[in-house]
């Protein structure tokens, strides 16, 4: 169940960050509100996750997954460059999360 809560926190953070892109520097009401609510939900769910998961493991998964997905959204849907170096960077973030989780499993 803790991974479901963490996945929901990650999804909420991704939605909030995506909404922020459309808030135009917080000058547009609805995307700005979606950003604020999304981050509040994300942090509340992350806090619940931390009741039964170590902070290092939870934060590594939360930030790494969020970073990788937001980078992919930018490249696929928002017209950001998808250079080999950028893709390598995303893969390294994912590899770092995997390595941190392997160490935390012991």
């Amino acid at each position: 169940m803790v991974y479901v809560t963490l996945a929901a926190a990650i999804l909420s953070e991704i939605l909030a960050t995506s909404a922020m892109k459309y808030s135009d520097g917080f000058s547009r009401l609805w995307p700005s509100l979606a950003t604020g609510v999304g981050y509040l939900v994300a942090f509340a769910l992350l806090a619940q996750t931390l009741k039964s998961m170590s902070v290092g493991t939870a934060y590594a998964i939360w930030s790494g997954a969020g970073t990788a997905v937001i980078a992919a959204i930018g490249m696929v849907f928002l017209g950001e460059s998808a250079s080999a170096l950028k893709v390598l960077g995303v893969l390294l973030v994912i590899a770092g999360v995997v390595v941190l989780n392997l160490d935390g499993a012991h």
Side-chain angles (χ1 to χ4, degrees):
M1 187 63 174
V2 69
Y3 284 100
V4 172
T5 305
L6 182 56
I10 293 165
L11 178 61
S12 182
E13 186 266 336
I14 290 165
L15 293 172
T17 302
S18 298
M20 190 186 308
K21 169 71 175 163
Y22 296 102
S23 74
D24 196 28
F26 294 118
S27 65
R28 296 181 61 213
L29 178 62
W30 295 113
S32 298
L33 288 175
T35 300
V37 169
Y39 279 119
L40 284 172
V41 170
F43 283 116
L45 291 169
L46 182 60
Q48 291 302 310
T49 300
L50 294 178
K51 289 181 176 181
S52 56
M53 183 183 283
S54 71
V55 68
T57 300
Y59 194 75
I61 295 169
W62 185 67
S63 61
T67 299
V69 172
I70 287 295
I73 288 171
M75 289 183 274
V76 174
F77 297 109
L78 301 176
E80 296 178 5
S81 68
S83 68
L85 194 56
K86 187 179 274 190
V87 172
L88 175 63
V90 171
L91 292 174
L92 287 171
V93 168
I94 293 167
V97 170
V98 169
V99 169
L100 284 170
N101 282 308
L102 289 175
D103 184 54
H106 297 314

mmCIF file of all heavy atoms in Angstrom, residues 47-70:
data_model
loop_
_atom_site.group_PDB
_atom_site.id
_atom_site.type_symbol
_atom_site.label_atom_id
_atom_site.label_comp_id
_atom_site.label_asym_id
_atom_site.label_seq_id
_atom_site.Cartn_x
_atom_site.Cartn_y
_atom_site.Cartn_z
ATOM 1 N N ALA A 47 4.153 12.674 2.804
ATOM 2 C CA ALA A 47 4.239 12.623 4.266
ATOM 3 C C ALA A 47 3.647 11.327 4.807
ATOM 4 O O ALA A 47 4.202 10.723 5.734
ATOM 5 C CB ALA A 47 3.528 13.825 4.883
ATOM 6 N N GLN A 48 2.537 10.879 4.213
ATOM 7 C CA GLN A 48 1.950 9.601 4.631
ATOM 8 C C GLN A 48 2.886 8.444 4.297
ATOM 9 O O GLN A 48 3.021 7.501 5.080
ATOM 10 C CB GLN A 48 0.590 9.394 3.950
ATOM 11 C CG GLN A 48 -0.477 10.340 4.424
ATOM 12 C CD GLN A 48 -0.706 10.238 5.922
ATOM 13 O OE1 GLN A 48 -0.887 9.164 6.459
ATOM 14 N NE2 GLN A 48 -0.669 11.380 6.601
ATOM 15 N N THR A 49 3.528 8.524 3.150
ATOM 16 C CA THR A 49 4.481 7.485 2.741
ATOM 17 C C THR A 49 5.622 7.372 3.747
ATOM 18 O O THR A 49 6.075 6.269 4.069
ATOM 19 C CB THR A 49 5.045 7.805 1.345
ATOM 20 O OG1 THR A 49 3.960 7.860 0.415
ATOM 21 C CG2 THR A 49 6.050 6.767 0.890
ATOM 22 N N LEU A 50 6.062 8.522 4.250
ATOM 23 C CA LEU A 50 7.216 8.530 5.160
ATOM 24 C C LEU A 50 6.916 7.895 6.518
ATOM 25 O O LEU A 50 7.832 7.642 7.286
ATOM 26 C CB LEU A 50 7.727 9.953 5.344
ATOM 27 C CG LEU A 50 8.311 10.596 4.083
ATOM 28 C CD1 LEU A 50 8.733 12.024 4.365
ATOM 29 C CD2 LEU A 50 9.466 9.775 3.536
ATOM 30 N N LYS A 51 5.650 7.615 6.799
ATOM 31 C CA LYS A 51 5.313 6.920 8.042
ATOM 32 C C LYS A 51 5.843 5.489 8.038
ATOM 33 O O LYS A 51 6.122 4.934 9.098
ATOM 34 C CB LYS A 51 3.801 6.896 8.262
ATOM 35 C CG LYS A 51 3.210 8.229 8.623
ATOM 36 C CD LYS A 51 1.712 8.078 8.836
ATOM 37 C CE LYS A 51 1.068 9.355 9.301
ATOM 38 N NZ LYS A 51 -0.380 9.180 9.529
ATOM 39 N N SER A 52 5.970 4.892 6.845
ATOM 40 C CA SER A 52 6.391 3.490 6.799
ATOM 41 C C SER A 52 7.513 3.218 5.810
ATOM 42 O O SER A 52 7.870 2.061 5.597
ATOM 43 C CB SER A 52 5.191 2.594 6.473
ATOM 44 O OG SER A 52 4.592 3.002 5.274
ATOM 45 N N MET A 53 8.102 4.246 5.227
ATOM 46 C CA MET A 53 9.222 4.069 4.304
ATOM 47 C C MET A 53 10.314 5.059 4.686
ATOM 48 O O MET A 53 10.011 6.178 5.113
ATOM 49 C CB MET A 53 8.759 4.314 2.859
ATOM 50 C CG MET A 53 9.828 4.081 1.808
ATOM 51 S SD MET A 53 9.262 4.473 0.126
ATOM 52 C CE MET A 53 8.269 3.027 -0.223
ATOM 53 N N SER A 54 11.550 4.660 4.519
ATOM 54 C CA SER A 54 12.651 5.569 4.873
ATOM 55 C C SER A 54 12.628 6.791 3.968
ATOM 56 O O SER A 54 12.242 6.720 2.795
ATOM 57 C CB SER A 54 13.998 4.858 4.767
ATOM 58 O OG SER A 54 14.323 4.616 3.409
ATOM 59 N N VAL A 55 13.036 7.916 4.516
ATOM 60 C CA VAL A 55 12.981 9.172 3.780
ATOM 61 C C VAL A 55 13.893 9.131 2.556
ATOM 62 O O VAL A 55 13.529 9.640 1.489
ATOM 63 C CB VAL A 55 13.305 10.375 4.698
ATOM 64 C CG1 VAL A 55 14.753 10.374 5.146
ATOM 65 C CG2 VAL A 55 12.949 11.680 4.003
ATOM 66 N N GLY A 56 15.048 8.513 2.658
ATOM 67 C CA GLY A 56 15.965 8.437 1.526
ATOM 68 C C GLY A 56 15.382 7.660 0.367
ATOM 69 O O GLY A 56 15.453 8.087 -0.786
ATOM 70 N N THR A 57 14.802 6.530 0.664
ATOM 71 C CA THR A 57 14.197 5.698 -0.380
ATOM 72 C C THR A 57 12.988 6.394 -0.983
ATOM 73 O O THR A 57 12.859 6.483 -2.215
ATOM 74 C CB THR A 57 13.784 4.334 0.198
ATOM 75 O OG1 THR A 57 14.952 3.683 0.699
ATOM 76 C CG2 THR A 57 13.133 3.468 -0.852
ATOM 77 N N ALA A 58 12.099 6.905 -0.157
ATOM 78 C CA ALA A 58 10.885 7.553 -0.657
ATOM 79 C C ALA A 58 11.221 8.772 -1.509
ATOM 80 O O ALA A 58 10.673 8.948 -2.601
ATOM 81 C CB ALA A 58 9.981 7.951 0.506
ATOM 82 N N TYR A 59 12.132 9.592 -1.018
ATOM 83 C CA TYR A 59 12.447 10.808 -1.761
ATOM 84 C C TYR A 59 13.193 10.500 -3.043
ATOM 85 O O TYR A 59 12.978 11.169 -4.069
ATOM 86 C CB TYR A 59 13.244 11.790 -0.889
ATOM 87 C CG TYR A 59 13.289 13.158 -1.506
ATOM 88 C CD1 TYR A 59 12.173 13.981 -1.466
ATOM 89 C CD2 TYR A 59 14.420 13.611 -2.168
ATOM 90 C CE1 TYR A 59 12.194 15.235 -2.056
ATOM 91 C CE2 TYR A 59 14.449 14.859 -2.760
ATOM 92 C CZ TYR A 59 13.341 15.664 -2.700
ATOM 93 O OH TYR A 59 13.356 16.907 -3.295
ATOM 94 N N ALA A 60 14.049 9.492 -3.031
ATOM 95 C CA ALA A 60 14.759 9.103 -4.253
ATOM 96 C C ALA A 60 13.768 8.660 -5.328
ATOM 97 O O ALA A 60 13.872 9.060 -6.487
ATOM 98 C CB ALA A 60 15.759 7.991 -3.961
ATOM 99 N N ILE A 61 12.803 7.850 -4.942
ATOM 100 C CA ILE A 61 11.799 7.385 -5.899
ATOM 101 C C ILE A 61 10.939 8.558 -6.361
ATOM 102 O O ILE A 61 10.703 8.751 -7.559
ATOM 103 C CB ILE A 61 10.932 6.270 -5.294
ATOM 104 C CG1 ILE A 61 11.781 5.036 -5.002
ATOM 105 C CG2 ILE A 61 9.777 5.917 -6.228
ATOM 106 C CD1 ILE A 61 11.067 3.983 -4.162
ATOM 107 N N TRP A 62 10.467 9.367 -5.420
ATOM 108 C CA TRP A 62 9.575 10.487 -5.724
ATOM 109 C C TRP A 62 10.255 11.494 -6.654
ATOM 110 O O TRP A 62 9.711 11.853 -7.699
ATOM 111 C CB TRP A 62 9.162 11.156 -4.420
ATOM 112 C CG TRP A 62 8.154 12.248 -4.550
ATOM 113 C CD1 TRP A 62 6.856 12.118 -4.931
ATOM 114 C CD2 TRP A 62 8.354 13.633 -4.294
ATOM 115 N NE1 TRP A 62 6.236 13.344 -4.915
ATOM 116 C CE2 TRP A 62 7.130 14.285 -4.522
ATOM 117 C CE3 TRP A 62 9.456 14.375 -3.866
ATOM 118 C CZ2 TRP A 62 6.979 15.654 -4.356
ATOM 119 C CZ3 TRP A 62 9.304 15.734 -3.694
ATOM 120 C CH2 TRP A 62 8.074 16.360 -3.941
ATOM 121 N N SER A 63 11.427 11.938 -6.295
ATOM 122 C CA SER A 63 12.089 12.962 -7.103
ATOM 123 C C SER A 63 12.621 12.395 -8.410
ATOM 124 O O SER A 63 12.524 13.044 -9.455
ATOM 125 C CB SER A 63 13.209 13.636 -6.305
ATOM 126 O OG SER A 63 14.196 12.688 -5.934
ATOM 127 N N GLY A 64 13.161 11.176 -8.372
ATOM 128 C CA GLY A 64 13.704 10.579 -9.592
ATOM 129 C C GLY A 64 12.623 10.281 -10.612
ATOM 130 O O GLY A 64 12.768 10.605 -11.800
ATOM 131 N N ALA A 65 11.551 9.680 -10.171
ATOM 132 C CA ALA A 65 10.450 9.363 -11.094
ATOM 133 C C ALA A 65 9.831 10.642 -11.635
ATOM 134 O O ALA A 65 9.553 10.749 -12.837
ATOM 135 C CB ALA A 65 9.399 8.507 -10.393
ATOM 136 N N GLY A 66 9.626 11.614 -10.755
ATOM 137 C CA GLY A 66 9.055 12.885 -11.194
ATOM 138 C C GLY A 66 9.939 13.580 -12.219
ATOM 139 O O GLY A 66 9.456 14.068 -13.250
ATOM 140 N N THR A 67 11.233 13.613 -11.961
ATOM 141 C CA THR A 67 12.175 14.236 -12.883
ATOM 142 C C THR A 67 12.163 13.537 -14.235
ATOM 143 O O THR A 67 12.099 14.182 -15.287
ATOM 144 C CB THR A 67 13.597 14.212 -12.288
ATOM 145 O OG1 THR A 67 13.601 14.952 -11.074
ATOM 146 C CG2 THR A 67 14.613 14.793 -13.253
ATOM 147 N N ALA A 68 12.223 12.218 -14.223
ATOM 148 C CA ALA A 68 12.261 11.458 -15.472
ATOM 149 C C ALA A 68 10.977 11.655 -16.281
ATOM 150 O O ALA A 68 11.027 11.876 -17.492
ATOM 151 C CB ALA A 68 12.489 9.974 -15.175
ATOM 152 N N VAL A 69 9.828 11.587 -15.616
ATOM 153 C CA VAL A 69 8.557 11.723 -16.338
ATOM 154 C C VAL A 69 8.373 13.142 -16.860
ATOM 155 O O VAL A 69 7.945 13.341 -18.002
ATOM 156 C CB VAL A 69 7.364 11.278 -15.456
ATOM 157 C CG1 VAL A 69 6.039 11.604 -16.126
ATOM 158 C CG2 VAL A 69 7.460 9.788 -15.161
ATOM 159 N N ILE A 70 8.708 14.151 -16.063
ATOM 160 C CA ILE A 70 8.571 15.536 -16.527
ATOM 161 C C ILE A 70 9.510 15.799 -17.698
ATOM 162 O O ILE A 70 9.132 16.465 -18.679
ATOM 163 C CB ILE A 70 8.822 16.531 -15.371
ATOM 164 C CG1 ILE A 70 7.632 16.528 -14.410
ATOM 165 C CG2 ILE A 70 9.080 17.942 -15.889
ATOM 166 C CD1 ILE A 70 6.327 17.030 -15.012
#
